[in-house]
Amino acid sequence: MTSERGGAPALPADGTLLTARGVRSRAALLAAARRLFQSQGYANTKISDITREADRALGSFYTYFANKQEVLEQMAEDFKTEIETRLTELDLTRPEPFEVIRDMCAVHWSSCRAHSAELAAIFQASMQDEHFARRWREIRFDARKKIAAGIRALEQAGLAHNPEPEATASALGSMMDYFCYVWLIEGGEADRVSLPDEVAIETMARVLYRSMFAEAEPLGE
Amino acid sequence: MTSERGGAPALPADGTLLTARGVRSRAALLAAARRLFQSQGYANTKISDITREADRALGSFYTYFANKQEVLEQMAEDFKTEIETRLTELDLTRPEPFEVIRDMCAVHWSSCRAHSAELAAIFQASMQDEHFARRWREIRFDARKKIAAGIRALEQAGLAHNPEPEATASALGSMMDYFCYVWLIEGGEADRVSLPDEVAIETMARVLYRSMFAEAEPLGE
Amino acid sequence: MTSERGGAPALPADGTLLTARGVRSRAALLAAARRLFQSQGYANTKISDITREADRALGSFYTYFANKQEVLEQMAEDFKTEIETRLTELDLTRPEPFEVIRDMCAVHWSSCRAHSAELAAIFQASMQDEHFARRWREIRFDARKKIAAGIRALEQAGLAHNPEPEATASALGSMMDYFCYVWLIEGGEADRVSLPDEVAIETMARVLYRSMFAEAEPLGE
Amino acid sequence: MTSERGGAPALPADGTLLTARGVRSRAALLAAARRLFQSQGYANTKISDITREADRALGSFYTYFANKQEVLEQMAEDFKTEIETRLTELDLTRPEPFEVIRDMCAVHWSSCRAHSAELAAIFQASMQDEHFARRWREIRFDARKKIAAGIRALEQAGLAHNPEPEATASALGSMMDYFCYVWLIEGGEADRVSLPDEVAIETMARVLYRSMFAEAEPLGE
DNA sequence: GATGAATGAGCTTTCATTCAT
DNA sequence: CATGAATGAAAGCTCATTCAT
């Protein structure tokens, strides 16, 4: 059901198709890069690390990618597609709104877990490369829009009030993204290093739900 | 009110005291580093960039710091002190809990704004250097503990229920940290590039407040 | 009239004969190399450029040539043959000496135009490869010998005086070679980019004629 | 009388001045580059060859030059200046026109001999790099203009006739340039490897003089 | 202290050549 | 014969760090 990890066979720069052997090598490199991005981080991974890990010659890397950025670009593409697909597959018609939100959080959490290497790499790259900063903003934007839309819908239904849907969506999205990064990649907080999936999902869902659905507000604005 | 930008005079590696001239040079280098970490990012800033920006000779850098990490270490120290100090200065006795939370968010936001270079640098460094990942975890841990304590207090007061104070505190802290990073350093989201201080603070406060204070929960756990 | 562009079928390295298909491939590669040597220069042309231009696989190149030098070697051979043949075809018995010289220049110019790729490649290669420097010296030597012979004949006939036939032949030959290179390959001088064939030929012929036939010389030697 | 070989102290990229030590290193690198460009050719000289020859560390090269092209650019500049200066120093008022022309050829020859490395390098580079092709065209253009002006002056004085001053100047200039290259750098023709200065200069002068001054022409145009 | 040149390890990228399919 | 992936030796260039002045 999930898209092939490593992405479509994809074409080399000149538009020709890859042979079976080529497809295998490209996948091996991509898989090696994933492993290393996850374990050592994107910036700390050298091309030569990737080829060694993939058991290929250094030069072979350049048969498939122009540089390290292109590897990440490819991964980011897959990551984006994956998240989008998973989000559209959600059943938004369930009667219990909390269930819907929890499902969404579950999808987000498990996508990030499945693609933790991609998450790590793009998050890191977004902090030192303007190009990937933009890319990451695009990728995460879908989720922001969805949350903002939810907030606005509640407003119109008179179920809750929130004067800043976009800002709130940004805050909640930031929470989801960085919370996933912290627990899935960085290894938790100072006093604790892991979190059961259940708890993580429930925690995010609770924050989202309460932030979105609160009615009677003693909030002076 | 703010602590001296550039930090204490501090001693050079060998323990000798700095001359007046030395104090000036050291401060100039730190200030230059701040500016560059903010504008180009920590990873993209070379030692030679710092000395050029500070209008000092390349070699002079090593009179005051052993390497770039030490510069950041120093900044992180100042940052941590600043945040801690500001948080303890908070008046937690105000009757309106939302006011207390908003004050806390205001302190956080303005500290991050004042120290955006430090925030940028340590956030970025935390993503490629295990040492700074640990350091950053320590720095942010104070805020997490405070939030968790608040949640637990509400629980005991019967004002709200939350079965995972630590996880929730981590989520809310992640929100605050990354939200500040996004808007103060990265330049906002895909569809918007800036946020008035008022709105930013209000938004964070609302999420915190609602997440902490919600009572009647239809949350099946 | 011109020799088959691409040269004789020639044998592959191992001495076996080429199949019809092989002949076609070899010719395609040679033709592609010509086009590229002309448009991008010899040094800037990679083996992979040649095979791509020839619409052949990279490996196929090595079926026919050991390396790029061998391609040029082959071309140089053809070029030399062509120039020699054309020169021997000249009618040296015409009564007007200027006509003879002009014919020679015309042959030279049109040979260089027809083989501009070869001229470009060997001229360029002669400047970075001792082997081709030697090769190019051989190729151009025929023309030098002919000019020197002409000068000596005039001397003996008492029609002109020139104390250094070889040096003068070298100078005049250098003129012809580089003039052709400049206008046929490099694209002219700073203030002008093209020259009608007529003018080019006439110009070279005039210099040759006057240099060879001057009688009453006020040249103090 | 000749400008300092290696050129002015010149500034590093950032506009700061070089120290005495820096001036020495830069000169050593330039001198080493000259020697190698001459002996092995421009294309065959690696940066590491230059630093080894100059007895400097590899990285030091980049303290003074951004790349090999910049070294040549600098040399070309010096070369151009030198030739221009020497040409303007010529005494054009001598009564004997042949003497004037011979002086010009002597200047050209000795400039090329003194700067044979530069001549070699720029000639070679002009054949594989569009930038240097343009550069070389500019450098040689001065001489072409001078020759063309001479031809036109003779025409107006009724002393000779030449319908294509520019083309002829190009031909004569080509002769001078390549003749110098052949004898000063390439090592002569197939049957002879060196030429006394006297003979070289006399030979070039004779071709120029005769081509320019011929009167009674049996040249049918 | 200040200076900036010197150093060289380290990393990226290119490309001729080989060779399994 | 054709194919194009695999290989790894070269270069090029960068930059943290040292050190003589």
Side-chain angles (χ1 to χ4, degrees), chain C residues 44 128 136-137 140 144 161-163 170-171 175 178 183 186 189 206 209-211 217-219, chain D residues 44 124 128 136-137 140 144 161-163 170-171 175 178 183 186 189 206 209-211 217-219:
Chain C
N44 298 323
Q128 38 176 134
W136 174 226
R137 249 181 252 133
R140 75 195 186 205
R144 306 285 187 278
H161 174 59
N162 192 316
S170 173
M175 184 267 285
Y178 195 45
W183 291 98
E186 209 183 68
E189 301 282 359
R206 204 179 300 122
Y209 179 82
R210 290 177 176 182
S211 296
E217 349 218 344
L219 312 184
Chain D
N44 298 322
Q124 290 167 17
Q128 38 176 134
W136 174 224
R137 247 180 256 136
R140 74 195 186 206
R144 306 282 188 279
H161 175 61
N162 192 316
S170 173
M175 183 267 285
Y178 195 46
W183 291 98
E186 208 182 68
E189 301 282 0
R206 204 180 300 121
Y209 179 82
R210 290 179 176 180
S211 296
E217 352 217 342
L219 311 183

Side-chain angles (χ1 to χ4, degrees), chain A residues 7 12 16 34-35 55 58 68 79 84 97 143 151 187-188 200 212 215:
Chain A
T16 36
R34 288 192 83 248
R35 263 172 273 143
D55 214 18
L58 177 55
K68 201 170 64 166
F79 187 31
E84 281 172 3
I151 294 176
M212 293 173 75
E215 307 121 277

